[in-house]
Amino acid sequence: MKYNYTSAKGGSAGGGSKIIIANWKMNLSIKESLLFVKNLKLTKNKAVIAAPFTFLPALNKAGAGKKIALSAQDVSSFEKGAYTGEVSAKMLKEVGCSYCLVGHSERRIYFQETDKVINQKILQLLKYKISPVLCIGENASQRRNKATKNVLKKQLILALKSVKDPAKILIAYEPIWAISTFQKGKNKQAAQLSDITAAHLYIKSVLKDIYGAKAAKVKILYGGTVNPQNAKAILSLKEVAGALVGGASLKFSSFNAIIRAI
Ligand code: PEP
């Protein structure tokens, strides 16, 4: 069913300013990334750029971290040593990262990343005071089989094992079926507002079971085909603390519109 986002109520967003994370994946160039950040102006919402590893030193040096916060898209599950090709949490800290995506569905699907490895990555990041952005979400068949809650619960419990204080953790609810790269055809759709609200409330309830009152500190973002047309409606949901944006973050004009949507 197609959802008309323009008719959704917006404007009186709950929860003050929102966090909008651009997930550039393996796109753009260092030059393009510097121009993008140069053109961004401060907003009441917090812009975070999850850039490829090789862009991070240049973005950090250009002072990007003052106007935006820097995020990596992945981190090693190991602390240091003979792990060819890996980048550690300490190295991310050195180049100014304050956030790092963990467990994105593309890493789970294309790189067979397990919940156990995701947990080890989160523990590494917390050790170096980098906020993990834990991505969780069900695929289309799990959704059809009404397994969404079970999937979310399992992913949360396994990823957060031994995490005593969740205050620095962000959760990105990213239903795989709503991520643009996993959708066929031109008419890509975000999840409906009711799906987003229900999932976020469920995630909150699981976190509360694990952490009690401390769970209130965890920010829960939505990701999956957020664009300038639907951003206001999605970000106005009081359960939604922000958005993780893939495709629409690659163009300055659309990301700029999203961070100014509310
Ligand atoms: C993503 O891959 O994290 C994502 C949210 O992508 P898109 O916005 O393109 O659906």
Side-chain angles (χ1 to χ4, degrees):
M1 187 175 72
K2 204 170 163 199
Y3 187 84
N4 180 3
Y5 286 95
T6 52
S7 69
K9 268 204 173 141
S12 57
S17 78
K18 307 273 170 163
I19 299 182
I20 319 289
I21 308 179
N23 178 10
W24 283 348
K25 308 189 182 185
M26 200 167 69
N27 292 297
L28 304 183
S29 65
I30 295 178
K31 205 170 155 189
E32 286 166 331
S33 77
L34 289 171
L35 187 64
F36 190 112
V37 168
K38 192 173 161 208
N39 287 332
L40 274 182
K41 302 276 175 297
L42 277 177
T43 62
K44 77 175 169 72
N45 297 314
K46 181 170 187 167
V48 180
I49 303 286
F53 289 136
T54 55
F55 297 11
L56 294 170
L59 288 170
N60 188 34
K61 208 164 154 202
K66 298 193 178 71
K67 196 160 53 175
I68 53 140
L70 279 183
S71 172
Q73 299 173 12
D74 189 26
V75 65
S76 180
S77 57
F78 299 103
E79 177 138 27
K80 64 176 286 195
Y83 300 104
T84 303
E86 290 286 88
V87 174
S88 72
K90 188 176 182 192
M91 292 168 181
L92 295 181
K93 192 77 189 177
E94 271 180 349
V95 291
C97 279
S98 40
Y99 295 86
C100 180
L101 308 184
V102 190
H104 190 278
S105 51
E106 287 156 11
R107 297 217 55 87
R108 292 180 192 256
I109 294 167
Y110 302 143
F111 302 96
Q112 290 78 47
E113 207 162 280
T114 62
D115 290 305
K116 187 169 177 208
V117 166
I118 290 165
N119 172 246
Q120 288 162 347
K121 291 183 175 190
I122 289 176
L123 294 173
Q124 283 300 318
L125 291 168
L126 291 175
K127 193 162 177 182
Y128 290 94
K129 301 198 174 357
I130 296 173
S131 285
V133 182
L134 168 63
C135 304
I136 58 172
E138 78 286 3
N139 63 28
S141 83
Q142 291 164 334
R143 180 175 189 238
R144 267 194 309 277
N145 295 326
K146 309 222 177 308
T148 299
K149 285 185 175 175
N150 284 346
V151 171
L152 297 179
K153 188 175 187 175
K154 182 167 171 264
Q155 288 179 336
L156 283 169
I157 289 173
L158 296 178
L160 297 175
K161 193 168 168 226
S162 308
V163 174
K164 302 264 174 324
D165 183 358
K168 260 194 158 317
I169 304 267
L170 286 80
I171 307 287
Y173 170 57
E174 296 217 302
I176 296 173
W177 48 270
I179 292 180
S180 66
T181 48
F182 294 118
Q183 294 186 51
K184 293 194 183 77
K186 278 195 185 150
N187 191 19
K188 304 191 180 206
Q189 298 280 318
Q192 295 198 23
L193 301 181
S194 54
D195 286 325
I196 299 172
T197 304
H200 280 228
L201 286 173
Y202 181 70
I203 292 166
K204 259 181 205 293
S205 76
V206 175
L207 292 172
K208 203 160 172 225
D209 286 347
I210 307 175
Y211 293 110
K214 281 187 195 165
K217 295 208 169 124
V218 182
K219 293 190 164 49
I220 308 174
L221 318 185
Y222 166 76
T225 317
V226 174
N227 57 38
Q229 290 72 46
N230 61 25
K232 182 172 178 179
I234 293 171
L235 291 169
S236 295
L237 295 171
K238 71 173 188 317
E239 295 78 14
V240 172
L244 180 51
V245 187
S249 73
L250 292 174
K251 264 204 191 148
F252 175 79
S253 57
S254 53
F255 187 66
N256 194 41
I258 292 168
I259 60 174
R260 285 160 202 288
I262 58 166

